[in-house]
Amino acid sequence: MSIQARRERERAERERLIVTAARELAESEGWDAVTTRRLAAEIEYSQPVLYSHFKGKDAIMAAVAIEGCADMAAELRAARTSAADPRQALAAVGAAFAAFADRHPALFDAMFVHAVDLPFATPEAPPALQEAFGELREAVRPFAHDDNLGTLTETFWSGLHGLMTLMHSGRMRREDHEKRMALLIDRFAR
């Protein structure tokens, strides 16, 4: 292995370590606890090393969001492709989205709540963002009929997002979650 290849591999490993540490710290203590000083201490590197990889916390959060979208895309794809019919696929994707948001609330916030410097809804969006949206789009496609598929998918996504965000913030009762999800799926699967 060349020296250049080794350095690139080591750099990628440090970036991975930083992103993983940020993600774990955010999930355990919230995003306010994620600072470059705290991350440097967690991964046992200096702050300048962190800044050699990321411009700051916002850039780290964007990297976490991209990773989260890749993880979510994989889970949505598995849910969609294992369903027997389009209605079940839509319901399975909705359930997978909700389960992901429940299991990873800080990650969900980095992906969809906090402002991050990522181009959403554009061709320049990172592939992981496009893949996650693409899985939602494929679940919605059989129900689009004459509607604009992109707009309908955004509406479905915003419904899922809104339900999860309002429930996480205590503005809707958790015990009615399944009823709300069933209503959302019923309205889209017509």
Side-chain angles (χ1 to χ4, degrees):
M1 172 180 296
S2 72
I3 292 172
Q4 180 66 22
R6 182 177 52 82
R7 285 184 182 155
E8 288 175 11
R9 187 188 77 230
E10 289 170 353
R11 180 173 178 75
E13 288 172 4
R14 278 192 307 272
E15 270 187 27
R16 174 88 238 115
L17 186 62
I18 294 165
V19 169
T20 299
R23 189 171 167 170
E24 290 172 357
L25 186 57
E27 288 296 353
S28 66
E29 298 181 35
W31 280 106
D32 288 341
V34 180
T35 64
T36 54
R37 178 170 296 184
R38 180 82 183 270
L39 284 174
E42 291 285 327
I43 64 170
E44 299 177 345
Y45 281 102
S46 67
Q47 280 184 278
V49 169
L50 263 70
Y51 285 115
S52 73
H53 291 275
F54 298 100
K55 290 182 180 178
K57 179 179 173 177
D58 291 345
I60 294 168
M61 193 179 292
V64 168
I66 291 169
E67 181 181 272
C69 284
D71 293 350
M72 177 180 269
E75 291 187 25
L76 297 179
R77 185 177 309 106
R80 182 180 59 78
T81 59
S82 66
D85 62 51
R87 181 180 171 71
Q88 287 179 5
L90 188 69
V93 165
F97 186 98
F100 187 93
D102 267 347
R103 282 192 326 276
H104 309 289
L107 178 58
F108 183 81
D109 287 350
M111 294 162 59
F112 302 125
V113 177
H114 294 293
V116 292
D117 188 21
L118 292 172
F120 284 86
T122 69
E124 295 79 29
L129 277 63
Q130 292 182 31
E131 291 168 18
F133 185 79
E135 290 304 323
L136 292 170
R137 183 181 59 239
E138 291 310 306
V140 169
R141 183 180 300 280
F143 307 102
H145 309 296
D146 294 332
D147 292 325
N148 178 284
L149 179 58
T151 303
L152 189 62
T153 303
E154 289 172 341
T155 304
F156 181 63
W157 174 28
S158 66
L160 292 170
H161 169 80
L163 289 174
M164 297 314 297
T165 301
L166 291 168
M167 191 171 65
H168 284 166
S169 66
R171 287 168 175 81
M172 292 194 306
R173 294 185 317 259
R174 183 167 286 279
E175 57 269 17
D176 290 336
H177 173 67
E178 294 301 321
K179 291 176 191 172
R180 289 188 296 269
M181 288 295 289
L183 279 171
L184 181 65
I185 299 305
D186 283 345
R187 299 298 178 190
F188 269 86
R190 289 184 175 178

